[in-house]
Amino acid sequence: MAVLLLLVATASVPLRPYVLPKVVTIALAIEQRGIVYSWGGGHGEDPGPSKGTCLGYTGKIKPCPAARTRGLDCSGFTRWVYALAHGTDVLGPGNTDDHVRKLRRVRSAIPGDLVFFGKVTRSRLRTHHVGIYLGDGKMVNAPETGAAVRVDRIDRVKGFAGFFRL
């Protein structure tokens, strides 16, 4: 009888459709805008597209286009998306290593988590890329010089280090 009562009571509650997390919605909207990758882009005082830097640049396109290109690198992209979603610069300035230090590793990712690449252990932290997890093995990321923010499979990038969230 209790089971029947529970079924009747819950059957009258309308089902809410799944709504993508705000982080994912914002990341996909930025991807649609065609914002380009710029080494060091997105690391100004405030998050968002900015001219990059050629300091430390090792990309394939020569000469380095970053100093004249307004855009985002991978950590600048995730910083901006998280700032827009949270209403404040929760990741702050810095690179992927700086950002992963502010997060906790999770075993099971949900859309909106960050996916890092490189080496993250108790004794070593050296990351080289980050994207925003979409689910189904995909992420939104600022991949490389000459490309725009886009959706990629996670296995496209070498050195999976794990999923992390605030």
Side-chain angles (χ1 to χ4, degrees), residues 74-75 78 95-100 103 105 113-121 124-134 137-143 150-164:
C74 64
S75 57
T78 56
N95 61 25
T96 54
D97 288 350
D98 298 317
H99 291 170
V100 80
L103 306 166
R105 185 188 298 254
D113 285 344
L114 295 181
V115 55
F116 283 87
F117 300 86
K119 193 80 163 172
V120 180
T121 66
R124 186 160 189 218
L125 175 61
R126 187 172 181 120
T127 56
H128 60 83
H129 192 66
V130 62
I132 297 172
Y133 185 64
L134 295 176
K138 295 179 183 171
M139 66 178 168
V140 183
N141 71 127
R150 68 183 185 213
V151 174
D152 281 321
R153 293 208 44 82
I154 290 171
D155 59 12
R156 182 183 181 280
V157 180
K158 291 184 170 121
F160 173 77
F163 297 106
F164 293 78

Side-chain angles (χ1 to χ4, degrees), residues 13-42:
V13 177
L15 296 175
R16 290 180 39 195
Y18 176 74
V19 178
L20 286 175
K22 195 173 190 180
V23 167
V24 171
T25 304
I26 292 168
L28 289 171
I30 290 170
E31 185 258 345
Q32 291 297 308
R33 290 176 56 189
I35 294 175
V36 298
Y37 182 96
S38 181
W39 176 264

Side-chain angles (χ1 to χ4, degrees), residues 59-80:
K60 296 174 186 170
I61 298 175
K62 304 291 186 200
C64 168
R68 63 182 186 277
T69 304
R70 185 173 172 77
L72 301 160
D73 67 11
C74 64
S75 57
F77 168 66
T78 56
R79 176 187 180 206
W80 187 34

